[in-house]
Amino acid sequence: MTDERTAHVLDFFTSRAAGWDSKFPDDGPAFATAVGLLGLRPGDAVLDAGCGTGRALPALREAVGPGGTVLGADLTPAMLEAAVRAGRAESGTLLRGDVARLPLRDGVLDAVFGAGLISHLSRPEADLAELARVVRPGGVLALFHPIGRAALAARQGRSLTDDDRRAEPRLRRLLAGSGWRLDSYTDEDDRFLALAVRRS
């Protein structure tokens, strides 16, 4: 957890954690809609990978019910602290950890939700393979962002390029090389959502 990209992630998110929710106050319904497309059932086990301030956790808890398991893992202590302050720890168990090395058994989860995750992975193919390791065959991965690629690039003042990890051809290859099959892909101004299925 000490490589250069990890250090960048910690620096980036630690300084922004306290104001993160107030910067994006209207994203809640988009998170809930994306969670609804995961196909979760009561009693399922789900991980919010790179959970940040835990904005997806209440929707995940509602989807799996009181008998389900909801985990939120994030590398940045300040983000997890913000999740606790917002009361979202009541919806799931928070873990400080790197999605590249999850403290979970093989095949223990039914689904993984990752909001804004893909662009922050140090080794995307290996890290996606680690997510596949902890999901049962046939389980689902949702890679989500509350705005699409073009809108995000414009917000960040950069050009949209084909080497973006979220570009469909590149993402399809990354997923295929790490144990997933891209099942659906949506890239619209108000939502990015790629759903992938864990291969047998």
Side-chain angles (χ1 to χ4, degrees):
M1 295 206 302
T2 57
D3 61 70
E4 183 178 330
R5 191 170 183 89
T6 297
H8 169 74
V9 167
L10 283 168
D11 289 345
F12 181 89
F13 286 107
T14 297
S15 64
R16 291 165 172 80
W20 192 260
D21 284 353
S22 60
K23 188 173 180 182
F24 306 106
D26 302 322
D27 287 350
F31 274 77
T33 298
V35 167
L37 294 171
L38 269 171
L40 292 167
R41 296 164 300 185
D44 277 354
V46 60
L47 168 69
D48 184 357
C51 67
T53 62
R55 289 181 293 170
L57 296 179
L60 292 169
R61 171 55 65 197
E62 185 174 342
V64 303
T69 299
V70 176
L71 303 173
D74 202 275
L75 192 61
T76 309
M79 281 290 195
L80 295 173
E81 290 160 12
V84 171
R85 284 194 303 275
R88 296 183 186 125
E90 297 168 11
S91 296
T93 301
L94 297 176
L95 309 169
R96 179 173 183 229
D98 191 339
V99 298
R101 291 176 290 279
L102 291 165
L104 299 172
R105 298 189 314 274
D106 293 359
V108 72
L109 299 174
D110 297 291
V112 173
F113 184 84
L117 176 70
I118 187 77
S119 61
H120 296 289
L121 297 178
S122 297
R123 301 169 304 143
E125 192 166 307
D127 296 343
L128 290 167
E130 172 66 356
L131 295 177
R133 180 187 68 77
V134 299
V135 173
R136 64 170 174 77
V140 179
L141 168 67
L143 297 173
F144 167 73
H145 201 285
I147 61 175
R149 293 173 59 234
L152 182 61
R155 178 190 284 178
Q156 295 173 342
R158 60 179 175 82
S159 299
L160 190 61
T161 63
D162 288 339
D163 66 349
D164 179 351
R165 290 179 187 174
R166 285 168 295 187
E168 184 173 4
R170 184 165 185 210
L171 183 59
R172 187 178 294 279
R173 287 192 303 273
L174 280 172
L175 290 165
S178 55
W180 300 98
R181 182 189 76 247
L182 184 62
D183 202 42
S184 70
Y185 181 91
T186 304
D187 183 16
E188 300 167 345
D189 283 348
D190 60 352
R191 182 176 66 178
F192 174 88
L193 181 64
L195 294 172
V197 176
R198 172 72 165 91
R199 298 199 311 263
S200 301

